[in-house]
Amino acid sequence: MRQKIVAGNWKMNGSRAFANDFVSGLNRAVLSDDVEVVLCPPAPYLATVSSQIKGAKVGAQNVYFEVSGAYTGELSSQIIRDVGCEYVLVGHSERRALFSEDDELVAKKVKSAIGSGLKVVLCVGETLDERTSGRLEEIISTQVLVGTGLLEPQDFASLVVAYEPVWAIGTGQTASPQQAQEVHTLIRLLLSNVAGKKVAENISILYGGSVTADTAAEIFAQKDIDGGLVGGASLRLEEFLVICDHCANTIVGGR
Ligand code: PGA
């Protein structure tokens, strides 16, 4: 059965005090065993968040593919693991758009992070232009196939995919549940072509893009949506917990 996951991506937000308060609040909350909750704070807070957090996991927002060396400003998978992370986001659209990450670089990061024992959340998604010009399928296929292109069959057990339409990120414009399900179906089909049907059936595919307490339940009720990658709403503890509850209350594989 697929693991349900809600990951909170704080992006470049928060402070040490905010992280401490948030984690204390999260530790006091009752989290369902049915959902893996993952917090992705800015890198300097990873160590303290992982040392304090109970019942949830910690993820980094980015990683470099080399093991160590002269790569100023970068973090290796080993360093990320060393400070207590189990997850890492790779290929977020902001990394692709603002920091010129292409699919080949994403593929190297995915491979090396999984090789080091991390679980990778590979983020894919089309811009509005790409969608309206009929290139949705081509863009998603390329991002999924190239992004996972260096993986060996056994690596897929550590892979999570997040579908995040760029036009829905931070805009308040969530994809409709049908639009999201359509792309999740495509992603599962692509994964099935490269890794086999059985393996693909067990890969969690998350939706991200303006997920809120109001939109989460309907999105998570879709057959191929196994949770969410939450940005803005993950900075509001109460709302984040409601989103986690909505995920816990859905049945994997749809109703
Ligand atoms: P958002 O961000 O929830 O603020 O739209 C999602 C993401 O970028 O992961």
Side-chain angles (χ1 to χ4, degrees), residues 158-184:
S158 302
L159 181 74
V160 174
V161 178
Y163 169 55
E164 298 203 303
V166 178
W167 47 272
I169 294 179
T171 58
Q173 196 191 339
T174 321
S176 72
Q178 293 69 27
Q179 280 175 323
Q181 168 59 27
E182 214 173 276
V183 181
H184 282 233

PDB file of all heavy atoms in Angstrom, residues 158-184:
ATOM      1  N   SER A 158      12.699   4.376  -3.010  1.00  0.00           N
ATOM      2  CA  SER A 158      12.982   5.599  -2.231  1.00  0.00           C
ATOM      3  C   SER A 158      12.508   6.859  -2.947  1.00  0.00           C
ATOM      4  O   SER A 158      12.883   7.970  -2.586  1.00  0.00           O
ATOM      5  CB  SER A 158      14.487   5.720  -1.987  1.00  0.00           C
ATOM      6  OG  SER A 158      14.963   4.588  -1.313  1.00  0.00           O
ATOM      7  N   LEU A 159      11.709   6.660  -3.989  1.00  0.00           N
ATOM      8  CA  LEU A 159      11.264   7.806  -4.778  1.00  0.00           C
ATOM      9  C   LEU A 159       9.823   8.195  -4.440  1.00  0.00           C
ATOM     10  O   LEU A 159       8.944   7.341  -4.296  1.00  0.00           O
ATOM     11  CB  LEU A 159      11.344   7.463  -6.278  1.00  0.00           C
ATOM     12  CG  LEU A 159      10.931   8.594  -7.227  1.00  0.00           C
ATOM     13  CD1 LEU A 159      12.011   9.672  -7.297  1.00  0.00           C
ATOM     14  CD2 LEU A 159      10.640   8.054  -8.632  1.00  0.00           C
ATOM     15  N   VAL A 160       9.619   9.503  -4.298  1.00  0.00           N
ATOM     16  CA  VAL A 160       8.283  10.088  -4.191  1.00  0.00           C
ATOM     17  C   VAL A 160       8.257  11.134  -5.298  1.00  0.00           C
ATOM     18  O   VAL A 160       9.276  11.763  -5.582  1.00  0.00           O
ATOM     19  CB  VAL A 160       8.112  10.785  -2.812  1.00  0.00           C
ATOM     20  CG1 VAL A 160       6.794  11.532  -2.725  1.00  0.00           C
ATOM     21  CG2 VAL A 160       8.255   9.777  -1.678  1.00  0.00           C
ATOM     22  N   VAL A 161       7.129  11.298  -5.962  1.00  0.00           N
ATOM     23  CA  VAL A 161       7.032  12.351  -6.987  1.00  0.00           C
ATOM     24  C   VAL A 161       6.018  13.375  -6.507  1.00  0.00           C
ATOM     25  O   VAL A 161       5.015  13.018  -5.886  1.00  0.00           O
ATOM     26  CB  VAL A 161       6.612  11.753  -8.355  1.00  0.00           C
ATOM     27  CG1 VAL A 161       6.467  12.857  -9.414  1.00  0.00           C
ATOM     28  CG2 VAL A 161       7.635  10.724  -8.832  1.00  0.00           C
ATOM     29  N   ALA A 162       6.315  14.653  -6.737  1.00  0.00           N
ATOM     30  CA  ALA A 162       5.330  15.697  -6.426  1.00  0.00           C
ATOM     31  C   ALA A 162       4.967  16.412  -7.717  1.00  0.00           C
ATOM     32  O   ALA A 162       5.854  16.926  -8.416  1.00  0.00           O
ATOM     33  CB  ALA A 162       5.892  16.690  -5.420  1.00  0.00           C
ATOM     34  N   TYR A 163       3.672  16.393  -8.038  1.00  0.00           N
ATOM     35  CA  TYR A 163       3.207  17.167  -9.192  1.00  0.00           C
ATOM     36  C   TYR A 163       2.820  18.553  -8.701  1.00  0.00           C
ATOM     37  O   TYR A 163       1.895  18.705  -7.898  1.00  0.00           O
ATOM     38  CB  TYR A 163       2.006  16.491  -9.865  1.00  0.00           C
ATOM     39  CG  TYR A 163       1.351  17.416 -10.880  1.00  0.00           C
ATOM     40  CD1 TYR A 163       2.096  17.990 -11.914  1.00  0.00           C
ATOM     41  CD2 TYR A 163      -0.010  17.727 -10.801  1.00  0.00           C
ATOM     42  CE1 TYR A 163       1.513  18.857 -12.829  1.00  0.00           C
ATOM     43  CE2 TYR A 163      -0.600  18.587 -11.713  1.00  0.00           C
ATOM     44  CZ  TYR A 163       0.168  19.147 -12.726  1.00  0.00           C
ATOM     45  OH  TYR A 163      -0.405  20.021 -13.623  1.00  0.00           O
ATOM     46  N   GLU A 164       3.565  19.540  -9.182  1.00  0.00           N
ATOM     47  CA  GLU A 164       3.294  20.915  -8.774  1.00  0.00           C
ATOM     48  C   GLU A 164       3.199  21.814 -10.005  1.00  0.00           C
ATOM     49  O   GLU A 164       4.228  22.297 -10.514  1.00  0.00           O
ATOM     50  CB  GLU A 164       4.420  21.431  -7.880  1.00  0.00           C
ATOM     51  CG  GLU A 164       4.582  20.662  -6.593  1.00  0.00           C
ATOM     52  CD  GLU A 164       5.291  21.513  -5.539  1.00  0.00           C
ATOM     53  OE1 GLU A 164       6.408  21.970  -5.797  1.00  0.00           O
ATOM     54  OE2 GLU A 164       4.698  21.729  -4.483  1.00  0.00           O
ATOM     55  N   PRO A 165       1.964  22.039 -10.495  1.00  0.00           N
ATOM     56  CA  PRO A 165       1.844  22.948 -11.633  1.00  0.00           C
ATOM     57  C   PRO A 165       2.365  24.327 -11.227  1.00  0.00           C
ATOM     58  O   PRO A 165       1.973  24.861 -10.188  1.00  0.00           O
ATOM     59  CB  PRO A 165       0.336  22.981 -11.912  1.00  0.00           C
ATOM     60  CG  PRO A 165      -0.335  22.343 -10.750  1.00  0.00           C
ATOM     61  CD  PRO A 165       0.674  21.534 -10.012  1.00  0.00           C
ATOM     62  N   VAL A 166       3.275  24.869 -12.034  1.00  0.00           N
ATOM     63  CA  VAL A 166       3.939  26.127 -11.655  1.00  0.00           C
ATOM     64  C   VAL A 166       2.915  27.245 -11.458  1.00  0.00           C
ATOM     65  O   VAL A 166       3.042  28.068 -10.561  1.00  0.00           O
ATOM     66  CB  VAL A 166       4.999  26.513 -12.723  1.00  0.00           C
ATOM     67  CG1 VAL A 166       5.671  27.835 -12.383  1.00  0.00           C
ATOM     68  CG2 VAL A 166       6.051  25.411 -12.845  1.00  0.00           C
ATOM     69  N   TRP A 167       1.867  27.225 -12.279  1.00  0.00           N
ATOM     70  CA  TRP A 167       0.844  28.271 -12.211  1.00  0.00           C
ATOM     71  C   TRP A 167       0.000  28.187 -10.936  1.00  0.00           C
ATOM     72  O   TRP A 167      -0.755  29.106 -10.629  1.00  0.00           O
ATOM     73  CB  TRP A 167      -0.064  28.212 -13.448  1.00  0.00           C
ATOM     74  CG  TRP A 167      -0.553  26.827 -13.783  1.00  0.00           C
ATOM     75  CD1 TRP A 167       0.086  25.918 -14.574  1.00  0.00           C
ATOM     76  CD2 TRP A 167      -1.746  26.190 -13.317  1.00  0.00           C
ATOM     77  NE1 TRP A 167      -0.630  24.755 -14.641  1.00  0.00           N
ATOM     78  CE2 TRP A 167      -1.766  24.898 -13.881  1.00  0.00           C
ATOM     79  CE3 TRP A 167      -2.806  26.581 -12.494  1.00  0.00           C
ATOM     80  CZ2 TRP A 167      -2.799  23.991 -13.648  1.00  0.00           C
ATOM     81  CZ3 TRP A 167      -3.837  25.684 -12.258  1.00  0.00           C
ATOM     82  CH2 TRP A 167      -3.825  24.409 -12.829  1.00  0.00           C
ATOM     83  N   ALA A 168       0.128  27.104 -10.199  1.00  0.00           N
ATOM     84  CA  ALA A 168      -0.660  26.953  -8.969  1.00  0.00           C
ATOM     85  C   ALA A 168       0.171  27.241  -7.719  1.00  0.00           C
ATOM     86  O   ALA A 168      -0.372  27.310  -6.623  1.00  0.00           O
ATOM     87  CB  ALA A 168      -1.225  25.534  -8.894  1.00  0.00           C
ATOM     88  N   ILE A 169       1.478  27.420  -7.893  1.00  0.00           N
ATOM     89  CA  ILE A 169       2.347  27.581  -6.717  1.00  0.00           C
ATOM     90  C   ILE A 169       2.305  29.018  -6.213  1.00  0.00           C
ATOM     91  O   ILE A 169       2.637  29.957  -6.943  1.00  0.00           O
ATOM     92  CB  ILE A 169       3.795  27.169  -7.042  1.00  0.00           C
ATOM     93  CG1 ILE A 169       3.849  25.670  -7.333  1.00  0.00           C
ATOM     94  CG2 ILE A 169       4.731  27.516  -5.886  1.00  0.00           C
ATOM     95  CD1 ILE A 169       5.213  25.145  -7.682  1.00  0.00           C
ATOM     96  N   GLY A 170       1.848  29.160  -4.979  1.00  0.00           N
ATOM     97  CA  GLY A 170       1.838  30.473  -4.344  1.00  0.00           C
ATOM     98  C   GLY A 170       0.863  31.461  -4.958  1.00  0.00           C
ATOM     99  O   GLY A 170       0.923  32.656  -4.679  1.00  0.00           O
ATOM    100  N   THR A 171      -0.035  30.969  -5.801  1.00  0.00           N
ATOM    101  CA  THR A 171      -0.943  31.879  -6.503  1.00  0.00           C
ATOM    102  C   THR A 171      -2.355  31.843  -5.933  1.00  0.00           C
ATOM    103  O   THR A 171      -3.186  32.666  -6.300  1.00  0.00           O
ATOM    104  CB  THR A 171      -1.064  31.474  -7.990  1.00  0.00           C
ATOM    105  OG1 THR A 171      -1.536  30.112  -8.047  1.00  0.00           O
ATOM    106  CG2 THR A 171       0.264  31.573  -8.704  1.00  0.00           C
ATOM    107  N   GLY A 172      -2.633  30.881  -5.079  1.00  0.00           N
ATOM    108  CA  GLY A 172      -3.996  30.730  -4.575  1.00  0.00           C
ATOM    109  C   GLY A 172      -4.877  30.006  -5.589  1.00  0.00           C
ATOM    110  O   GLY A 172      -6.054  29.751  -5.346  1.00  0.00           O
ATOM    111  N   GLN A 173      -4.302  29.656  -6.731  1.00  0.00           N
ATOM    112  CA  GLN A 173      -5.075  28.991  -7.782  1.00  0.00           C
ATOM    113  C   GLN A 173      -4.738  27.493  -7.800  1.00  0.00           C
ATOM    114  O   GLN A 173      -3.842  27.067  -8.526  1.00  0.00           O
ATOM    115  CB  GLN A 173      -4.718  29.634  -9.127  1.00  0.00           C
ATOM    116  CG  GLN A 173      -5.700  29.305 -10.222  1.00  0.00           C
ATOM    117  CD  GLN A 173      -5.154  29.741 -11.582  1.00  0.00           C
ATOM    118  OE1 GLN A 173      -4.266  30.590 -11.681  1.00  0.00           O
ATOM    119  NE2 GLN A 173      -5.683  29.146 -12.644  1.00  0.00           N
ATOM    120  N   THR A 174      -5.434  26.716  -6.978  1.00  0.00           N
ATOM    121  CA  THR A 174      -5.172  25.272  -6.923  1.00  0.00           C
ATOM    122  C   THR A 174      -5.651  24.626  -8.230  1.00  0.00           C
ATOM    123  O   THR A 174      -6.657  25.053  -8.782  1.00  0.00           O
ATOM    124  CB  THR A 174      -5.995  24.630  -5.777  1.00  0.00           C
ATOM    125  OG1 THR A 174      -6.000  25.518  -4.673  1.00  0.00           O
ATOM    126  CG2 THR A 174      -5.433  23.300  -5.362  1.00  0.00           C
ATOM    127  N   ALA A 175      -4.953  23.612  -8.678  1.00  0.00           N
ATOM    128  CA  ALA A 175      -5.473  22.839  -9.823  1.00  0.00           C
ATOM    129  C   ALA A 175      -6.776  22.185  -9.372  1.00  0.00           C
ATOM    130  O   ALA A 175      -6.933  21.882  -8.182  1.00  0.00           O
ATOM    131  CB  ALA A 175      -4.468  21.769 -10.222  1.00  0.00           C
ATOM    132  N   SER A 176      -7.692  21.969 -10.280  1.00  0.00           N
ATOM    133  CA  SER A 176      -8.918  21.270  -9.876  1.00  0.00           C
ATOM    134  C   SER A 176      -8.536  19.824  -9.577  1.00  0.00           C
ATOM    135  O   SER A 176      -7.536  19.313 -10.113  1.00  0.00           O
ATOM    136  CB  SER A 176      -9.966  21.328 -10.993  1.00  0.00           C
ATOM    137  OG  SER A 176      -9.569  20.479 -12.043  1.00  0.00           O
ATOM    138  N   PRO A 177      -9.312  19.159  -8.738  1.00  0.00           N
ATOM    139  CA  PRO A 177      -8.989  17.759  -8.440  1.00  0.00           C
ATOM    140  C   PRO A 177      -8.878  16.927  -9.716  1.00  0.00           C
ATOM    141  O   PRO A 177      -8.007  16.057  -9.822  1.00  0.00           O
ATOM    142  CB  PRO A 177     -10.176  17.307  -7.580  1.00  0.00           C
ATOM    143  CG  PRO A 177     -10.676  18.569  -6.943  1.00  0.00           C
ATOM    144  CD  PRO A 177     -10.443  19.661  -7.941  1.00  0.00           C
ATOM    145  N   GLN A 178      -9.712  17.226 -10.717  1.00  0.00           N
ATOM    146  CA  GLN A 178      -9.680  16.462 -11.968  1.00  0.00           C
ATOM    147  C   GLN A 178      -8.394  16.748 -12.746  1.00  0.00           C
ATOM    148  O   GLN A 178      -7.764  15.833 -13.278  1.00  0.00           O
ATOM    149  CB  GLN A 178     -10.890  16.799 -12.858  1.00  0.00           C
ATOM    150  CG  GLN A 178     -12.233  16.364 -12.298  1.00  0.00           C
ATOM    151  CD  GLN A 178     -12.673  17.158 -11.053  1.00  0.00           C
ATOM    152  OE1 GLN A 178     -12.291  18.315 -10.854  1.00  0.00           O
ATOM    153  NE2 GLN A 178     -13.472  16.532 -10.204  1.00  0.00           N
ATOM    154  N   GLN A 179      -8.024  18.038 -12.805  1.00  0.00           N
ATOM    155  CA  GLN A 179      -6.779  18.388 -13.510  1.00  0.00           C
ATOM    156  C   GLN A 179      -5.592  17.676 -12.853  1.00  0.00           C
ATOM    157  O   GLN A 179      -4.719  17.137 -13.536  1.00  0.00           O
ATOM    158  CB  GLN A 179      -6.531  19.903 -13.425  1.00  0.00           C
ATOM    159  CG  GLN A 179      -7.334  20.725 -14.414  1.00  0.00           C
ATOM    160  CD  GLN A 179      -7.128  22.223 -14.169  1.00  0.00           C
ATOM    161  OE1 GLN A 179      -7.019  22.672 -13.029  1.00  0.00           O
ATOM    162  NE2 GLN A 179      -7.092  22.991 -15.235  1.00  0.00           N
ATOM    163  N   ALA A 180      -5.575  17.686 -11.526  1.00  0.00           N
ATOM    164  CA  ALA A 180      -4.461  17.067 -10.815  1.00  0.00           C
ATOM    165  C   ALA A 180      -4.462  15.552 -11.042  1.00  0.00           C
ATOM    166  O   ALA A 180      -3.433  14.968 -11.399  1.00  0.00           O
ATOM    167  CB  ALA A 180      -4.545  17.393  -9.328  1.00  0.00           C
ATOM    168  N   GLN A 181      -5.635  14.934 -10.895  1.00  0.00           N
ATOM    169  CA  GLN A 181      -5.726  13.474 -11.062  1.00  0.00           C
ATOM    170  C   GLN A 181      -5.252  13.053 -12.459  1.00  0.00           C
ATOM    171  O   GLN A 181      -4.549  12.051 -12.618  1.00  0.00           O
ATOM    172  CB  GLN A 181      -7.160  13.004 -10.800  1.00  0.00           C
ATOM    173  CG  GLN A 181      -7.474  11.564 -11.212  1.00  0.00           C
ATOM    174  CD  GLN A 181      -6.589  10.503 -10.523  1.00  0.00           C
ATOM    175  OE1 GLN A 181      -6.083  10.710  -9.421  1.00  0.00           O
ATOM    176  NE2 GLN A 181      -6.405   9.374 -11.182  1.00  0.00           N
ATOM    177  N   GLU A 182      -5.618  13.853 -13.453  1.00  0.00           N
ATOM    178  CA  GLU A 182      -5.229  13.542 -14.834  1.00  0.00           C
ATOM    179  C   GLU A 182      -3.702  13.451 -14.959  1.00  0.00           C
ATOM    180  O   GLU A 182      -3.170  12.519 -15.568  1.00  0.00           O
ATOM    181  CB  GLU A 182      -5.722  14.697 -15.705  1.00  0.00           C
ATOM    182  CG  GLU A 182      -6.159  14.322 -17.088  1.00  0.00           C
ATOM    183  CD  GLU A 182      -6.763  15.561 -17.736  1.00  0.00           C
ATOM    184  OE1 GLU A 182      -7.968  15.821 -17.497  1.00  0.00           O
ATOM    185  OE2 GLU A 182      -6.032  16.288 -18.439  1.00  0.00           O
ATOM    186  N   VAL A 183      -3.001  14.414 -14.364  1.00  0.00           N
ATOM    187  CA  VAL A 183      -1.545  14.415 -14.477  1.00  0.00           C
ATOM    188  C   VAL A 183      -0.940  13.314 -13.591  1.00  0.00           C
ATOM    189  O   VAL A 183       0.042  12.668 -13.966  1.00  0.00           O
ATOM    190  CB  VAL A 183      -0.954  15.806 -14.140  1.00  0.00           C
ATOM    191  CG1 VAL A 183       0.560  15.791 -14.285  1.00  0.00           C
ATOM    192  CG2 VAL A 183      -1.561  16.874 -15.043  1.00  0.00           C
ATOM    193  N   HIS A 184      -1.553  13.069 -12.441  1.00  0.00           N
ATOM    194  CA  HIS A 184      -1.057  11.986 -11.577  1.00  0.00           C
ATOM    195  C   HIS A 184      -1.180  10.634 -12.286  1.00  0.00           C
ATOM    196  O   HIS A 184      -0.309   9.777 -12.155  1.00  0.00           O
ATOM    197  CB  HIS A 184      -1.813  11.971 -10.240  1.00  0.00           C
ATOM    198  CG  HIS A 184      -1.333  13.032  -9.286  1.00  0.00           C
ATOM    199  ND1 HIS A 184      -0.930  12.753  -7.994  1.00  0.00           N
ATOM    200  CD2 HIS A 184      -1.176  14.362  -9.455  1.00  0.00           C
ATOM    201  CE1 HIS A 184      -0.543  13.889  -7.417  1.00  0.00           C
ATOM    202  NE2 HIS A 184      -0.692  14.871  -8.266  1.00  0.00           N
TER     203      HIS A 184
END
